[in-house]
Amino acid sequence: MVKAIVGANWGDEGKGKITDMMAREADIIVRFQGGANAGHTIVNDYGKFALHTLPSGVFYNHTTSVIGNGVALNIPVLFQEIQSIVERGVPVPKILVSDRAQMVMSYHILFDQYEEERLGGKSFGSTKSGIAPFYSDKYAKIGFQVSELFDEEILKEKVKSICEKKNVLLEHLYHKPLLRPEDLMKELREYREQVEPYVCDTSAYLWNAVQNGKNILLEGQLGSLKDPDHGIYPMVTSSSTLAAYGAIGAGIPPYEISKIITVCKAYSSAVGAGAFVSEIFGEEADELRRRGGDGGEYGVTTGRPRRMGWFDAVASKYGCRIQGTTDVAFTVLDVLGYLEEIPVCIGYEIDGRVTTEFPPTAKLEKAKPVLKVLPGWKCDIRGIRKYEELPENCRKYIEFIEEKIGFPITMISNGPGRDDIIYR
Ligand code: GDP
């Protein structure tokens, strides 16, 4: 059985925690898109970890972690992460890397930085991990596939042509040092040495696993609203964040994905630029940011303070629909326990008309939130394991949101730990 765990919002919904928790019953966890630009925070018996590339299931002995073909593979980051978890007592994880995955090269990271610098105030707020230049090159068909590492002739030829192309931009657009073919060859040989023991045809591996009835989790990065097609383009990421892309980015039949668990946060947070209709500011935002997540809402990769807002039912309904949600995991609900009253965005007013349909970016920029204020529950709900034991106003909040988004909330997360979960 294949289940996807994906985000309904702008990312940081707590997918890492849900994946880590569900990995208890999984055999294989697959990353199918994105790169080291976003992070997952996981709190378990070994401590607190921020992972960027490793799937969130690496903490179990019984699971195999797969880096699928759709991932932007940053080999140094992958190996630093393996080392850092092993140093803290986690057993050496079993990892397989797709021979069709492509690699983030050091120049992708440089180009990301140079472009942000060039754009100045108009930048996209990139994490400068090289993701946009990486995917641009992938689709321009000048990327490096892992399988190519094992053919020096291919590498030499490609390196030469890449240097020719990139150096024009480096010299004339960015005025930065040029790439040297010998440096790139050295980089590629180092990558080969590091990755070789893990490389295989992961789609064949997953096909066999599916045939043998294994439990497979597909772990998404970011959320629906950062999808390049369905999100808030151009303030999106460069690979699809949708469960449907799991089939492509992992190389499995789409009809095998039978459960789509969409992780949806009990309030909103976003990083980077872009329209954010239910955003709040000032002291109100600072307090939610301070209390949010597990130790505050700051980016796992960049440490940037996240933008904060109330729950957005318009964006979340859309985010769940576009994922093809079968189950909603509603997270970080415990954080809201301090509030007397909790506003929820239930509609967008655009040019004097109210809608509950999430619009494309040009219209989104004009949207003003229509808020409904619900009573808070004013207590700590951590430690509760049964739905009926939640305070009445808390259940009302969940049920109100469930009705507004139109998808069943079957899991409620009331703390960062593996066991902080209420099944419904
Ligand atoms: P991801 O990228 O979707 O995995 O999300 P992040 O890891 O960036 O952000 C989620 C943050 O919230 C992490 O610090 C988690 O430890 C924390 N977290 C997850 N679920 C809960 C929850 O139910 N309650 C609280 N308080 N924190 C949670």
Side-chain angles (χ1 to χ4, degrees):
M1 178 168 196
V2 184
K3 298 177 188 170
I5 300 170
V6 288
N9 311 118
W10 298 263
D12 308 318
E13 297 93 349
K15 296 174 295 296
K17 177 239 158 104
I18 300 293
T19 309
D20 178 63
M21 182 191 96
M22 293 190 58
R24 221 181 321 221
E25 267 142 42
D27 302 300
I28 301 164
I29 295 101
V30 190
R31 282 281 317 267
F32 61 89
Q33 48 94 211
N37 50 331
H40 295 300
T41 314
I42 296 156
V43 183
N44 57 31
D45 301 342
Y46 296 104
K48 183 170 175 174
F49 297 86
L51 297 183
H52 305 282
T53 287
L54 284 173
S56 303
V58 287
F59 298 99
Y60 295 97
N61 246 326
H62 67 275
T63 56
T64 299
S65 299
V66 174
I67 309 286
N69 52 278
V71 168
L73 174 63
N74 183 321
I75 293 181
V77 170
L78 175 67
F79 287 93
Q80 273 157 29
E81 274 184 17
I82 296 176
Q83 207 176 1
S84 75
I85 65 167
V86 171
E87 269 167 11
R88 288 173 62 190
V90 179
V92 180
K94 289 185 272 305
I95 293 174
L96 300 175
V97 175
S98 166
D99 53 2
R100 290 176 184 272
Q102 295 199 11
M103 292 165 288
V104 177
M105 299 292 296
S106 55
Y107 57 81
H108 289 134
I109 298 168
L110 292 174
F111 272 92
D112 207 351
Q113 292 165 359
Y114 298 161
E115 182 62 8
E116 286 284 298
E117 232 174 87
R118 190 181 75 85
L119 292 171
K122 294 208 172 92
S123 78
F124 291 94
S126 161
T127 60
K128 305 189 187 75
S129 320
I131 302 304
F134 164 88
Y135 280 107
S136 309
D137 279 2
K138 176 173 176 177
Y139 294 108
K141 293 166 286 206
I142 55 169
F144 284 99
Q145 212 177 53
V146 165
S147 63
E148 292 171 342
L149 288 174
F150 305 97
D151 190 323
E152 283 266 324
E153 287 317 304
I154 294 187
L155 290 184
K156 278 187 190 144
E157 210 171 293
K158 258 181 122 160
V159 158
K160 185 166 162 269
S161 104
I162 297 248
C163 286
E164 276 167 15
K165 225 169 173 161
K166 301 283 177 199
N167 282 344
V168 175
L169 290 173
L170 287 171
E171 187 174 350
H172 299 288
L173 183 65
Y174 298 115
H175 314 293
K176 295 286 184 187
L178 303 189
L179 298 179
R180 300 190 324 168
E182 58 274 29
D183 294 342
L184 290 191
M185 284 304 293
K186 183 165 170 278
E187 181 179 340
L188 288 159
R189 287 182 189 125
E190 280 169 14
Y191 291 170
R192 174 170 62 211
E193 209 164 286
Q194 286 184 304
V195 83
E196 189 164 12
Y198 306 95
V199 177
C200 73
D201 178 348
T202 49
S203 78
Y205 171 82
L206 291 171
W207 172 263
N208 288 327
V210 168
Q211 302 309 311
N212 291 320
K214 299 284 186 203
N215 281 325
I216 301 171
L217 295 182
L218 304 176
E219 181 183 20
Q221 190 202 37
L222 296 167
S224 301
L225 305 172
K226 291 283 185 181
D227 183 75
D229 281 76
H230 296 282
I232 50 168
Y233 187 87
M235 301 301 178
V236 292
T237 193
S238 306
S239 64
S240 174
T241 56
L242 304 183
Y245 190 75
I248 297 163
I252 54 164
Y255 54 79
E256 293 292 348
I257 306 175
S258 52
K259 253 193 190 298
I260 297 173
I261 296 144
T262 305
V263 184
C264 190
K265 205 161 166 161
Y267 54 88
S268 301
S269 73
V271 284
F276 182 5
V277 179
S278 68
E279 186 165 14
I280 53 174
F281 303 91
E283 182 44 39
E284 199 177 36
D286 289 344
E287 177 149 36
L288 184 55
R289 184 178 302 112
R290 238 183 355 258
R291 292 171 176 271
D294 180 35
E297 293 281 358
Y298 301 91
V300 178
T301 308
T302 56
R304 290 186 291 196
R306 291 178 181 150
R307 297 163 69 191
M308 307 303 298
W310 302 124
F311 185 83
D312 183 335
V314 179
S316 301
K317 178 178 80 161
Y318 173 77
C320 287
R321 169 166 70 75
I322 219 74
Q323 288 289 7
T325 303
T326 60
D327 294 73
V328 174
F330 197 52
T331 55
V332 293
L333 186 60
D334 52 303
V335 165
L336 300 180
Y338 73 99
L339 289 159
E340 203 72 55
E341 292 186 317
I342 314 176
V344 174
C345 174
I346 54 166
Y348 289 175
E349 191 193 311
I350 303 170
D351 295 330
R353 292 175 68 174
V354 174
T355 178
T356 58
E357 299 300 326
F358 191 76
T361 312
K363 276 194 168 170
L364 185 67
E365 305 282 355
K366 298 197 224 162
K368 293 189 194 72
V370 177
L371 298 174
K372 168 148 174 104
V373 178
L374 301 186
W377 47 92
K378 293 290 290 171
C379 67
D380 186 3
I381 59 163
R382 280 205 197 181
I384 294 177
R385 296 285 174 270
K386 290 202 182 102
Y387 187 68
E388 308 75 59
E389 287 170 16
L390 287 172
E392 190 184 356
N393 282 348
C394 181
R395 278 181 280 133
K396 280 191 173 153
Y397 184 79
I398 297 165
E399 287 158 25
F400 179 81
I401 281 171
E402 184 174 52
E403 192 216 309
K404 290 286 170 208
I405 61 177
F407 293 91
I409 296 176
T410 60
M411 281 173 253
I412 294 146
S413 173
N414 59 338
R418 269 180 190 172
D419 299 313
D420 297 322
I421 197 82
I422 299 167
Y423 294 97
R424 218 165 143 235

